[in-house]
DNA sequence: CTGAAAGCGCTAACAG
DNA sequence: CTGTTAGCGCTTTCAG
């Protein structure tokens, strides 16, 4: 028979020292109100017994789990994994653990995830993804759990969020293309109907067009590409549309477009310029290297998590809609 | 004053129906022993009140949290994020949530992470990373929590694990190089001292060399490269070592070597052949596309998680050291 | 098939 | 400064 060495409980250390469990609880939680001598004895017993507080019991009694939920589309996408890395680091810095769920941007799965996380009594939630449907928003609200959006916008800006100014960034890139004489700028977005694609990326693109006295040509807008392979396929279509430049929302897709175009004999950047938007490692490995909008991905996650800690502590947030600065990184896919 | 709508508890639904909380618990947990009529009434009340069981309370009472911990080096590395994606999907399939922690392969952080996860009473743990130090191993043991290693080996094979046969794969690639007349094969590994690098990757490489009647030349072994940039820098060194082929343990590093070599004017695959080992998307975006060992990354994670569910259910595991099949993907970085 | 009662391990007033 | 006393919301015997 193997002896099951049960974990020591707070009772065991209280008994060992000859104090009440309240006192042990106090020293564990760093309360001032303990005589140093008592504290030392308790500490010694804790060490001796190898006592570690049971976080579940704690959670039940205190109604705080020191756990946050992170709901994201797909952790194998570098954009999101870098955001999440920022979240994770800051979360652990503040002693929170992270419950992670991938949704593949499926609202149903997001719904399930949120409810499930709420059941686990998470103290806060970070939500990512282009698809923030009303149902999901309602579900989040219903839980009453503090939430921050990271790299994600909700149409009506009802929730605290951290982003860059997507509209301005897309407008800026488009304007540059136009100024450089590239008059047929293709825009590749994630979807045809989501806020981030329509109200920000496309809106920025359109704004630059209008400012330059041109009007938007629907045939130059390409929604729906999600993978490298999608990008490769898209290259032909973009070429057939007679575009001479492209602004692509995702690096892998951009790389697909780049390689696809080159495989068809186009010279980048001489015949065609491409700018991507996430500045992940993918932009560096491309030949030519991809110019890109540089979003501070890690920081977006980190700042979002930091905001969430304030929310969980019921501190004042100040500005709820944070826009972090972005920069343009010019590499060899543009002149 | 906003009315705080408190979440309904099991008492509330018991009271609403006029049964005891034990009965409610039974229907919630799908026990057979409830009269259908009673069950229906309870179910109706649950729906009516929007009752959702508090997982923390459940965890305390049942000593099961339906949560597993995942300890990994870095989620922004595609190899690990794809493994973890497999873990995550299977975990949720079996109703487990995933607590994620990045360690950057730092044993100290792994230690902290494991203890912390144990405090949260996780039901199981999946560990990834090349660095499984004795201290970490001891810490894992001390928790008594079921563990499975994914894409990670422990020297003495004391823990259940899921991998491919790294030694055979590395031997096979090396042998091919040799057969094709590439007699100076560089080996790029992650470290000079860890089990996976020494006992598997390097051992496989060496085995092929010996079999071909050659002996290992230390100058052709390059440990320690971790990033794309490291690979770029390494390219010159590899070239100076007069190598004419390279087997690289990581895709991003391999890409760095590839681009670095090409930037110096070498022709791949004519002057130099390269094979990488993880077959992530990076192999596809390279020009020429990288040949690679194809590890079933998602499956490694998925199988590891499936094993863990068995362990947590105290089912018999059968073989504890699982080796999944790998394949070779020949692209344009080899002839 | 159902209920009563005893915890799970800890926090949090409330006394003293 | 320390102990007592209630719970937190649920599972789990044990009776009946």
């Amino acid at each position: 028979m193997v002896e099951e060495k049960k974990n020591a409980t707070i009772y065991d250390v209280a008994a060992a020292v000859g104090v009440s469990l309240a006192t042990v609880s106090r020293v564990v939680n760093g309360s001032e109100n303990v005589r140093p001598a008592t504290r030392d004895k308790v500490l010694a017993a804790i060490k001796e017994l190898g006592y570690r507080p049971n976080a579940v019991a704690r959670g039940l009694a205190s109604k705080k789990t020191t756990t946050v939920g992170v709901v994201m589309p797909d952790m194998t996408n570098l954009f999101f994994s870098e955001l999440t890395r920022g979240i994770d680091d800051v979360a652990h810095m503040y002693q929170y653990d992270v419950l992670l769920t991938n949704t593949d941007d499926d609202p149903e799965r997001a719904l399930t995830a949120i409810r499930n996380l709420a059941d686990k009594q998470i103290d806060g939630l970070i939500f990512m993804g282009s698809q923030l449907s009303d149902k999901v928003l309602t579900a989040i609200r219903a839980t009453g759990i503090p939430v921050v959006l990271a790299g994600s916008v909700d149409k009506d800006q009802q929730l605290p969020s951290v982003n860059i100014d997507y509209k301005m960034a897309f407008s800026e890139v488009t304007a540059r293309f136009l100024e450089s004489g590239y008059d047929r700028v293709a825009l590749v977005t994630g979807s045809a109907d989501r806020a981030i694609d329509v109200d920000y990326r496309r809106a920025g693109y359109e704004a630059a067009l209008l400012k330059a006295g041109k009007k938007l040509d629907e045939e130059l807008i390409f929604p729906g590409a999600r993978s490298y392979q999608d990008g490769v396929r898209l290259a032909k279509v973009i070429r057939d549309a007679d575009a001479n430049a492209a602004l692509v929302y995702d690096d892998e897709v951009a790389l697909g477009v780049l390689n696809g175009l080159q495989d068809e004999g186009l010279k980048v950047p001489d015949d065609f310029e491409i700018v991507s938007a996430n500045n992940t490692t993918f932009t560096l490995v491309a030949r030519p290297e991809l110019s890109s909008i540089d979003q501070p991905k890690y920081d977006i996650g980190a700042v979002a998590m930091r905001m969430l800690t304030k929310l969980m502590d019921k501190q004042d947030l100040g500005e709820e809609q944070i826009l972090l600065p972005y920069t343009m990184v010019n590499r060899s896919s543009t002149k």
Side-chain angles (χ1 to χ4, degrees), chain A:
Chain A
M1 283 254 77
V2 181
E3 197 66 30
E4 270 292 320
K5 184 165 55 185
K6 276 196 60 180
N7 285 325
T9 74
I10 198 169
Y11 278 99
D12 298 327
V13 359
V17 182
V19 295
S20 77
L21 79 172
T23 299
V24 178
S25 177
R26 288 196 185 91
V27 350
V28 167
N29 293 299
S31 162
E32 296 285 282
N33 306 320
V34 182
R35 185 153 45 95
T38 313
R39 175 190 310 282
D40 291 344
K41 279 194 291 186
V42 170
L43 253 16
I46 285 175
K47 197 167 178 188
E48 167 70 21
L49 297 173
Y51 167 69
R52 312 211 100 225
N54 178 323
V56 173
R58 242 178 180 172
L60 184 60
S62 69
K63 302 185 167 306
K64 286 191 197 322
T65 53
T66 61
T67 302
V68 297
V70 172
V71 175
M72 53 146 50
D74 178 16
M75 62 181 302
T76 67
N77 179 311
L78 269 184
F79 177 71
F80 292 113
S81 61
E82 295 199 6
L83 279 174
T84 304
R85 192 60 217 268
I87 294 169
D88 191 73
D89 285 355
V90 172
H92 284 104
M93 197 173 297
Y94 284 86
Q95 318 276 38
Y96 286 96
D97 286 304
V98 173
L99 276 173
L100 218 277
T101 314
N102 293 283
T103 63
D104 287 320
D105 243 335
D106 174 348
E108 283 309 313
R109 289 177 61 181
L111 224 52
T112 314
I114 288 163
R115 296 211 179 104
N116 176 49
L117 290 170
D119 292 348
K120 293 248 163 141
Q121 314 298 124
I122 53 171
D123 296 334
L125 174 68
I126 301 238
F127 185 92
M128 291 178 260
S130 54
Q131 185 69 301
L132 216 189
S133 69
D134 286 341
K135 275 178 82 171
V136 170
L137 215 126
T138 307
I140 291 179
R141 283 264 173 59
T143 65
I145 296 168
V147 189
V148 177
L149 305 179
S152 182
V153 296
D154 67 313
K155 262 202 323 292
D156 314 319
Q157 309 208 327
Q158 305 174 62
L159 297 175
S161 67
V162 184
N163 291 286
I164 64 163
D165 188 334
Y166 292 109
K167 183 170 174 186
M168 186 186 293
F170 272 60
S171 167
E172 197 176 317
V173 172
T174 307
R176 285 206 199 179
F177 279 143
L178 263 21
E179 285 160 18
S180 309
Y182 295 92
D183 56 333
R184 302 270 304 160
V185 182
L187 175 71
V188 180
T189 64
S191 77
D193 54 6
R194 298 178 184 172
I196 190 163
D197 289 308
V198 177
D199 301 338
Y200 295 81
R201 292 173 178 142
R202 180 179 160 136
Y205 167 85
E206 186 165 12
L209 244 34
L210 294 182
K211 200 163 175 187
K214 306 174 74 76
K215 64 171 187 282
L216 185 147
D217 178 353
E218 288 290 347
E219 300 203 339
L220 286 174
I221 308 230
F222 304 90
R226 306 198 158 282
S227 66
Y228 173 77
Q229 297 297 355
D230 287 347
V232 172
R233 277 189 289 273
L234 198 55
K236 297 183 188 46
V237 189
I238 289 177
R239 193 199 183 168
D240 290 345
D242 240 2
N244 46 27
L247 169 53
V248 186
Y249 83 108
D250 176 271
D251 289 357
E252 289 190 51
V253 174
L255 214 42
V257 172
L258 170 69
N259 285 344
L261 249 24
Q262 292 187 125
D263 289 350
E264 297 205 8
L266 255 71
K267 298 259 179 292
V268 177
D270 295 329
D271 305 339
F272 198 105
E273 289 200 354
I274 303 183
V275 171
S276 155
N278 293 343
N279 198 37
T280 63
T281 305
F282 279 108
T283 59
L284 295 177
V285 306
R287 284 296 177 270
E289 294 184 359
L290 274 173
S291 298
S292 179
I293 297 166
D294 180 32
Q295 303 187 44
K297 298 174 287 297
Y298 182 93
D299 294 346
I300 292 176
V303 170
M305 184 62 217
R306 179 66 185 105
M307 284 176 75
L308 187 59
T309 64
K310 289 185 187 166
L311 240 31
M312 294 186 295
D313 285 350
K314 304 195 185 315
Q315 288 177 240
D316 191 35
L317 220 50
E319 177 56 45
E320 298 212 333
Q321 307 295 327
I322 306 257
L323 292 181
L324 258 30
Y326 62 88
T327 57
M328 293 299 312
V329 181
N330 297 304
R331 299 201 182 84
S332 325
S333 67
T334 53
K335 278 187 292 209

